[in-house]
C-alpha cells in the first residue's frame, strides 16, 4: 500500500510539539506541515497541552490527595458550637465538608487509575486482498472482550458510495460489522466492529453497493 503522509505526520505531531524529534524526522514533519492546513490545525490544537507539561511536577504525578487529618474534628467542633437557631446553616456546612471529602477521594482514585492504566489492546496486521483497481487498503485486527474491531485504512473508495463490512466465523457464518461512505482519493480510516469473538473470527469482506467484494481477508 502507498504510504499515507498525513498519517505519518500525525504520528509525529506530539513529539514535534515537545521538540523530541531528531533532525531528519523534524525536517520531514516541517515539510509536510508547510503544505497541509489540516495537520497544522491539529498541531495548533495540541501545542497548548505540550506547553502545559513544562509546569507538571513528575514527583507528584502519582500522589493521591487526601483531606487534612484534623478535618473531621474541626467539622464536629463547629457543629457542637452552633446554636439551635442556626441548624440549617450547620447542615449546609456539613454538606460542604462532605463534598470536599468526596472531591479529595475522587482525585485520589483518578490519580491511582492514571498510575495503573491498562496496556493498550493488542493489534494484528491481517492480509488484505483488494479486488478493485481504484482501491488501496490495509487492515489491523484488534481483539476485544466484546468482539473484534477491524481498523481499515485506505484510499480510492468511490466518493459517496456505501460500503458494507462483514466478518465470517469458522463455519462461514456472516456477522455484520458496519458500513461506511467512500471519500474518493482522500485517505480514510474506518473502525469496523462486530460482536464476533477473535477465536471464532476467520476473515472479513468489504462489499460495494452492488454486493461485489472490494476488499477481502482471511485470518
Amino acid at each position: 500500500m502507498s504510504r499515507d503522509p498525513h498519517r505519518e505526520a500525525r504520528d509525529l505531531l506530539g513529539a514535534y510539539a515537545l521538540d523530541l524529534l531528531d533532525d531528519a524526522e523534524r525536517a520531514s514533519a516541517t515539510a509536510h506541515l508547510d503544505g497541509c492546513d489540516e495537520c497544522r490545525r491539529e498541531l495548533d490544537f495540541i501545542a497548548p497541552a505540550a506547553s502545559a507539561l513544562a509546569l507538571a511536577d513528575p514527583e507528584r504525578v502519582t500522589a493521591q490527595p487526601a483531606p487534612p487529618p484534623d478535618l473531621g474534628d474541626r467539622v464536629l467542633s463547629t457543629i457542637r458550637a452552633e446554636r439551635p437557631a442556626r441548624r440549617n446553616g450547620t447542615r449546609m456546612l456539613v454538606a460542604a465538608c462532605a463534598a470536599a471529602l468526596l472531591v479529595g477521594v475522587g482525585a485520589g482514585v483518578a490519580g491511582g487509575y492514571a498510575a495503573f492504566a491498562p496496556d493498550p489492546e493488542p493489534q494484528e496486521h491481517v492480509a488484505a486482498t483488494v479486488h478493485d483497481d481504484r482501491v488501496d487498503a490495509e487492515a489491523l485486527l484488534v481483539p476485544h472482550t466484546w468482539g473484534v474491531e477491524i481498523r481499515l485504512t485506505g484510499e480510492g473508495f468511490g466518493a459517496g458510495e456505501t460500503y458494507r463490512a462483514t466478518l465470517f466465523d469458522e463455519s462461514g457464518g456472516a456477522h455484520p460489522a458496519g458500513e461506511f461512505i467512500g471519500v474518493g482519493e482522500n485517505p480514510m480510516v474506518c473502525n469496523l466492529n462486530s460482536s464476533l469473538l477473535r477465536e471464532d473470527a476467520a476473515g472479513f469482506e468489504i462489499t460495494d453497493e452492488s454486493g461485489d467484494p472490494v476488499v477481502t481477508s482471511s485470518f
Side-chain angles (χ1 to χ4, degrees), residues 59-215:
E59 299 294 329
R60 302 181 64 184
V61 169
T62 59
Q64 298 189 15
D70 63 338
L71 179 60
D73 291 337
R74 288 193 282 117
V75 170
L76 292 175
S77 297
T78 302
I79 294 173
R80 295 189 185 103
E82 288 290 334
R83 291 175 297 180
R86 299 181 61 185
R87 286 176 182 171
N88 290 338
T90 301
R91 292 194 187 99
M92 293 178 64
L93 174 63
V94 173
C97 292
L101 286 169
L102 288 174
V103 169
V105 172
V109 171
Y113 179 80
F116 303 100
D119 293 332
E121 295 283 356
Q123 299 180 357
E124 302 176 29
H125 285 275
V126 293
T129 302
V130 178
H131 304 275
D132 187 330
D133 293 338
R134 301 173 303 169
V135 174
D136 201 1
E138 63 181 17
L140 288 172
L141 183 150
V142 185
H144 295 283
T145 55
W146 46 260
V148 166
E149 176 185 359
I150 300 295
R151 295 181 183 171
L152 181 71
T153 304
E155 55 191 44
F157 292 93
E161 296 182 22
T162 301
Y163 295 85
R164 179 176 289 107
T166 305
L167 266 80
F168 298 97
D169 58 34
E170 295 288 350
S171 63
H175 301 262
E179 298 180 348
F180 63 92
I181 305 297
V183 293
E185 296 303 315
N186 296 316
M188 62 182 295
V189 178
C190 292
N191 296 331
L192 306 165
N193 300 311
S194 169
S195 60
L196 183 65
L197 296 177
R198 174 64 185 95
E199 58 264 33
D200 300 323
F204 75 87
E205 181 182 69
I206 308 295
T207 55
D208 60 19
E209 294 177 349
S210 300
D212 297 323
V214 177
V215 181

Side-chain angles (χ1 to χ4, degrees), residues 37-49:
D37 292 337
E38 182 178 352
C39 289
R40 280 203 306 273
R41 286 194 298 270
E42 186 165 345
L43 178 62
D44 291 340
F45 179 79
I46 66 175

